[in-house]
Amino acid sequence: SFHILNQITVTMVEVRSFLFSSESVNEGHPDKLCDQVSDAVLDACLAADPLSKVACETATKDNMVMVFGEISTAANLDYEKIVRDQVREIGFSSFVDDLSSVDSKGLSC
């Protein structure tokens, strides 16, 4: 704002535009499985050590789930068990499913 002749106030408004985008995937999509596995790893770290620093990602294809990134924690966790338990909770539990048997050697963690 600035004043003209001490009586009239003129307000300048800056018009901004931005592009908003988002992603949405259906139930059963690999992205949902990956998000849930990453969340399970984060939850396990924070439950055991509230000062944990976790920056992990998860990728999956066929019979493989890979968790990678950077985790700093005082906790001693069994990451393979965390991944297998979460995949099982999601519903992959038999050879009929895409991820094969959670308990088999077919699922590489």
Side-chain angles (χ1 to χ4, degrees):
S1 295
F2 57 91
H3 295 282
I4 300 175
L5 300 175
N6 293 331
Q7 297 294 322
I8 303 169
T9 301
V10 177
T11 304
M12 298 182 70
V13 177
E14 182 179 335
V15 177
R16 293 182 176 186
S17 65
F18 63 92
L19 178 64
F20 176 82
S21 69
S22 64
E23 158 185 77
S24 177
V25 295
N26 293 330
E27 183 178 342
H29 191 280
D31 282 354
K32 288 208 181 278
L33 181 137
C34 291
D35 288 345
Q36 290 180 33
V37 168
S38 293
D39 288 348
V41 170
L42 172 64
D43 291 346
C45 288
L46 292 176
D49 175 12
L51 299 178
S52 295
K53 305 282 189 268
V54 180
C56 75
E57 293 289 335
T58 302
T60 186
K61 183 174 184 335
D62 300 329
N63 291 326
M64 178 192 70
V65 175
M66 179 174 52
V67 177
F68 54 95
E70 198 172 330
I71 299 175
S72 299
T73 183
N76 186 10
L77 301 171
D78 183 350
Y79 294 100
E80 182 175 345
K81 180 176 180 350
I82 294 166
V83 171
R84 288 182 186 277
D85 287 350
Q86 186 60 43
V87 170
R88 185 180 296 108
E89 184 178 317
I90 291 168
F92 293 102
S93 62
S94 72
F95 285 99
V96 177
D97 294 321
D98 291 340
L99 286 175
S100 191
S101 172
V102 175
D103 294 318
S104 76
K105 294 296 181 190
L107 178 61
S108 301
C109 295

